[in-house]
């Protein structure tokens, strides 16, 4: 059996173990799963990586692996079993610069707001959030609008989202400074019609179709720590996804 097929079969077997348990239940250790499935711990680790990317499990460093609560995010689609592994969470402006283009912050605002329903479901009741809106231009042309929603404080410490007005400060490093280690981004892409404010920032007509990403940043404790709506002007910025064929 090829390595990729063995990993897929192990993933399927561990997924069935996950499905038999309730949200929040702790899974057996890697060694125990290896014994249950008859494969090496390396193969088990690869399978757990896939289930983690799918959002089926939560990893709490030093504590173990737990069954994720799939019902806690009411806006998620019913089918989300596509596995896409993108190694590394990097700074988008840094990626733009590394590819020979100039990145600049074309607009920046901070507001304290009542969170929208899709975010409020994952927060304590009556909790406000910061909404940080940034528009990034590529070679002088507005290309991306990012609306990041952040808790007002982390671990009792008040957040200062104005620090994100510096293009060199990306959200991941901002959170690290606040003592929060982000280990995964989950994103869902769809096409939406451009609202008036986003259209104004991007120089588009309101109501025009635009690529939209809804993203959650997940910490090493398994908690969602920030939420983002990201809008891409596709005539300025494009993304290529490469999928390989299994053996």
């Amino acid at each position: 059996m090829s390595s990729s097929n063995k990993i897929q079969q192990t993933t399927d077997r561990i997924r069935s173990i996950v499905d038999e348990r309730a949200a929040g239940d702790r899974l057996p250790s890697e060694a125990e799963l290896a014994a249950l499935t008859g494969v090496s711990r390396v193969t088990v680790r690869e399978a757990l990586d896939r289930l983690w990317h799918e959002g089926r499990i939560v990893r709490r460093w030093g504590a173990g692996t737990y069954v994720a609560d799939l019902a806690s995010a009411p806006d998620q689609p019913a089918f989300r079993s596509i596995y896409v592994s993108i190694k590394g969470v990097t700074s988008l402006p840094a990626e733009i610069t590394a590819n020979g283009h100039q990145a600049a912050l074309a607009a920046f605002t901070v507001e304290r707001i009542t969170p929208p329903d899709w975010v409020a479901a994952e927060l304590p009741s009556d909790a406000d959030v910061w909404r940080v809106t940034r528009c990034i231009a590529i070679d002088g042309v507005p290309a991306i609008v990012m609306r990041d929603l952040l808790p007002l404080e982390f671990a009792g410490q008040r957040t200062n989202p104005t620090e994100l007005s510096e293009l060199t400060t990306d959200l991941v490093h901002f959170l690290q400074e606040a003592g929060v280690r982000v280990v995964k981004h989950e994103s869902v892409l769809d096409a939406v019609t451009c609202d008036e404010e986003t259209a104004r920032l991007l120089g588009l007509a309101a109501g025009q179709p635009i690529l939209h990403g809804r993203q959650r940043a997940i910490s090493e404790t398994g908690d969602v720590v920030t939420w983002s709506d990201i809008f891409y002007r596709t005539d300025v910025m494009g993304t290529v996804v490469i999928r390989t064929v299994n053996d």
Side-chain angles (χ1 to χ4, degrees):
M1 184 187 301
S2 70
S3 174
S4 59
N5 285 340
K6 182 181 292 186
I7 293 169
Q8 184 59 55
Q9 287 193 9
T10 305
T11 302
D12 292 340
R13 293 182 66 181
I14 297 177
R15 187 184 290 109
S16 68
I17 294 172
V18 170
D19 289 342
E20 293 171 354
R21 287 164 165 76
D25 285 354
R26 183 174 179 176
L27 291 179
S29 67
E30 286 183 3
E32 291 169 329
L33 287 171
L36 284 170
T37 56
V39 297
S40 69
R41 290 182 64 175
V42 173
T43 300
V44 166
R45 195 170 297 122
E46 289 283 349
L48 290 174
D49 275 347
R50 294 194 175 197
L51 294 172
W52 182 58
H53 278 282
E54 290 176 12
R56 302 295 296 272
I57 61 174
V58 174
R59 284 173 162 173
R60 295 174 183 157
W61 270 253
T65 303
Y66 298 81
V67 178
D69 184 3
L70 297 180
S72 65
D75 66 309
Q76 290 293 300
F79 179 77
R80 60 191 306 266
S81 65
I82 296 174
Y83 169 71
V84 179
S85 176
I86 302 176
K87 298 296 184 182
V89 177
T90 59
S91 163
L92 182 55
E95 289 184 30
I96 294 168
T97 302
N99 279 276
H101 298 274
Q102 183 180 9
L105 193 62
F108 178 84
T109 60
V110 175
E111 309 164 85
R112 177 172 172 166
I113 66 166
T114 300
D117 290 344
W118 71 280
V119 173
E122 299 173 347
L123 284 171
S125 59
D126 303 323
D128 284 351
V129 293
W130 295 117
R131 179 169 64 189
V132 180
T133 300
R134 292 174 290 171
C135 179
I136 295 179
I138 300 176
D139 297 335
V141 181
I144 308 154
V145 169
M146 299 184 291
R147 293 195 178 98
D148 299 312
L149 303 176
L150 292 72
L152 300 183
E153 60 181 41
F154 290 107
Q157 297 296 316
R158 194 80 167 178
T159 54
N160 179 18
T162 59
E163 294 176 8
L164 291 166
S165 63
E166 297 292 334
L167 197 60
T168 53
T169 304
D170 63 88
L171 190 56
V172 170
H173 289 94
F174 171 81
L175 292 171
Q176 284 179 350
E177 291 296 321
V180 179
R181 180 172 177 261
V182 173
V183 295
K184 180 171 67 166
H185 279 164
E186 287 185 353
S187 300
V188 176
L189 294 174
D190 58 2
V192 300
T193 54
C194 200
D195 63 87
E196 290 187 4
E197 177 60 17
T198 301
R200 182 185 66 79
L201 292 170
L202 292 177
L204 301 173
Q208 179 173 332
I210 191 171
L211 181 63
H212 164 248
R214 177 157 286 179
Q215 177 174 282
R216 289 172 169 85
I218 299 173
S219 74
E220 61 186 347
T221 63
D223 298 317
V224 181
V225 290
T226 65
W227 304 260
S228 303
D229 277 318
I230 308 172
F231 302 86
Y232 302 91
R233 183 169 159 176
T234 55
D235 62 331
V236 180
M237 177 180 174
T239 300
V240 177
V241 177
I242 298 174
R243 300 173 64 194
T244 59
V245 178
N246 290 336
D247 296 337

